[in-house]
Amino acid sequence: MSACACGASAVVQWRRRPDTAELERIVRAEEARRAAAQARGTVLDEDTPAPGTDATVAVYACVDHALSPDAAAYVHEAACTGPRKGGTCGCPPPAEPEFPFEPAEEQQARPLPPGW
């Protein structure tokens, strides 16, 4: 199960841009994957974006460190430190959330399933 930075079980996830070191690892892994695919004879699409172009990193949080659903609906900056009081952070929200929040009929906090 994924865990919050504090060590507690995660109940929510959001995404942020990778920092420089994370982006370098992502690009190296993607370049290696593409080289292996080409070595097997796989033809890559010409439309394939450059490695790391749309990369994001998952951030997990417990109940005490969770962002609000509205704040979790967009990709955060690489330097995002997570929530402040009230479940918000300092990242500027986009005009339109990438994953708009739609409340469920019953809202109950429960652990996320493995691999979610």
Side-chain angles (χ1 to χ4, degrees), residues 2-78:
S2 301
C4 181
C6 73
S9 294
V11 296
V12 70
Q13 170 196 346
W14 69 92
R15 298 180 310 147
R16 66 170 174 78
R17 296 284 174 215
D19 63 27
T20 304
E22 290 167 330
L23 184 58
E24 288 173 2
R25 282 193 303 274
I26 290 168
V27 168
R28 280 195 307 270
E30 179 62 14
E31 287 172 343
R33 186 194 69 77
R34 290 180 185 191
Q38 287 180 324
R40 289 190 308 269
T42 303
V43 178
L44 299 176
D45 289 338
E46 291 180 15
D47 297 347
T48 303
T53 303
D54 294 329
T56 59
V57 176
V59 180
Y60 303 97
C62 66
V63 172
D64 294 330
H65 297 112
L67 286 171
S68 69
D70 288 332
Y74 59 89
V75 177
H76 293 256
E77 296 175 357

